[in-house]
Amino acid sequence: MLDFYWPFLLYFIIPLTPGLYPTAIYIEAGLNDEAVADYIEGLDRRYSAGGNGSPYRGLLEFIKSAQETQCEVDEEKIASAVTGSSTELQHPGHQFYRDLVNILPGVAAPLILRVEKIDCVKSGGIRLNVLTGVLLGLKDAELDRFNKSRLPVEEVRAILRIKVPNSLAYLLHRNNLRSFDLWSLEGSTEPVSATVAWLVRAVGWLCDENNHLAMRMIQNLPEAIASVPVADRGWGTDNEDVREGFNEMSRKQPRLWEIYGPKIEAAADLVGQWRDGG
């Protein structure tokens, strides 16, 4: 590490403190796999001193710099760092997690799994913000927009379609995404109804990747939709995502839709108008 430009070394060693933001994230020449791994190991310490403006300031830029020098980035450790105790000080909204998925698509699946480890009644709305941001990142990839990674969109989609269904199916099957009415909404940056609409769309997009995982996702959707809290009911403009998700499920998994579709649609009716012309 002696060949690092000194501001990077300074940023690497000193914990993040309010008012201290060395510009080392712009120094790319000294980056290598060892340095990136060491930096990621120190994320909890670095962001434990509280935020100063943007949540996890400098992290997204660092990841982009690491990618530009083709360094390996540990997605599991990134996901753990940005969903742990530092969230109480950094206060990330859903847009941070959306940007993170757009920059580092492989982080989507571990982020979804981390949702289970976040206390659902904890203030800050972090659980909802993590899930919302990831689901919007999936929609961005599906529609080919805001791709900030160095990968072509086809490769981004392949990463998400291979890895994410297992994570979503796991959480839905274990009741983690079927109890939105019990989640803390303090500090959440989108209503639950919007998050659930994007969940429906994501299941529709991903349900042809693996039939067993498709069953796990689709069979648990009625309870997920029905758990939208009364205060957040009404699909609004997100009804288009609900329709798109239902259309894709019925087209890709007709047998599953025949079994579960009526219950899913009935649950959606309780939340608000989603059918054409609504």
Side-chain angles (χ1 to χ4, degrees):
M1 292 191 296
L2 294 179
D3 60 340
F4 286 139
Y5 189 60
W6 78 266
F8 180 81
L9 187 61
L10 180 67
Y11 191 58
F12 185 86
I13 295 173
I14 300 177
L16 189 67
T17 56
L20 179 59
Y21 294 102
T23 58
I25 56 173
Y26 302 109
I27 305 303
E28 300 172 9
L31 289 179
N32 57 35
D33 285 339
E34 181 183 1
V36 170
D38 287 344
Y39 179 89
I40 292 173
E41 286 290 341
L43 287 178
D44 285 336
R45 170 181 54 80
R46 184 164 289 103
Y47 291 108
S48 65
N52 186 6
S54 301
Y56 296 102
R57 184 174 178 179
L59 179 58
L60 300 183
E61 291 82 358
F62 177 82
I63 293 172
K64 283 193 271 188
S65 293
Q67 291 176 325
E68 288 169 4
T69 51
Q70 299 183 340
C71 293
E72 183 177 351
V73 177
D74 191 319
E75 296 152 352
E76 298 276 351
K77 289 183 178 178
I78 293 287
S80 176
V82 299
T83 56
S85 59
S86 61
T87 60
E88 298 179 23
L89 298 168
Q90 297 295 322
H91 304 295
H94 77 277
Q95 188 61 44
F96 168 78
Y97 297 105
R98 181 184 191 177
D99 290 340
L100 180 57
V101 171
N102 273 287
I103 291 169
L104 189 65
V107 81
L111 276 178
I112 290 172
L113 290 178
R114 290 290 302 180
V115 167
E116 184 177 47
K117 300 182 182 298
I118 302 171
D119 187 347
C120 70
V121 299
K122 187 177 181 180
S123 63
I126 297 300
R127 205 183 212 208
L128 190 64
N129 288 343
V130 172
L131 179 62
T132 302
V134 174
L135 293 174
L136 275 174
L138 298 182
K139 182 178 176 180
D140 291 337
E142 178 195 354
L143 299 180
D144 188 13
R145 61 186 190 184
F146 311 134
N147 180 17
K148 300 175 184 177
S149 75
R150 296 183 59 80
L151 303 174
V153 67
E154 294 80 8
E155 190 170 342
V156 170
R157 287 173 178 158
I159 290 170
L160 295 173
R161 287 176 57 80
I162 290 170
K163 295 183 177 181
V164 169
N166 185 66
S167 298
L168 275 181
Y170 174 83
L171 286 198
L172 280 162
H173 182 61
R174 286 175 57 84
N175 199 36
N176 286 285
L177 304 184
R178 294 185 287 155
S179 56
F180 289 104
D181 51 341
L182 302 179
W183 292 23
S184 167
L185 303 183
E186 180 187 352
S188 60
T189 47
E190 282 287 352
V192 176
S193 59
T195 303
V196 173
W198 297 323
L199 172 63
V200 169
R201 184 178 187 118
V203 172
W205 183 46
L206 301 169
C207 68
D208 58 341
E209 193 63 35
N210 178 292
N211 289 335
H212 176 71
L213 297 178
M215 180 193 69
R216 289 299 190 200
M217 290 188 287
I218 292 173
Q219 73 180 170
N220 289 296
L221 269 184
E223 289 80 7
I225 296 170
S227 71
V228 173
V230 174
D232 267 1
R233 293 196 172 181
W235 295 115
T237 58
D238 301 312
N239 59 13
E240 180 180 348
D241 295 301
V242 176
R243 286 195 299 272
E244 176 67 17
F246 290 172
N247 290 338
E248 289 295 280
M249 284 179 242
S250 63
R251 181 177 68 83
K252 295 174 179 177
Q253 297 289 348
R255 292 186 63 186
L256 289 175
W257 190 254
E258 183 179 359
I259 297 170
Y260 301 108
K263 287 182 65 177
I264 292 173
E265 291 185 342
D269 287 335
L270 292 176
V271 175
Q273 176 60 252
W274 59 271
R275 299 175 191 273
D276 287 320

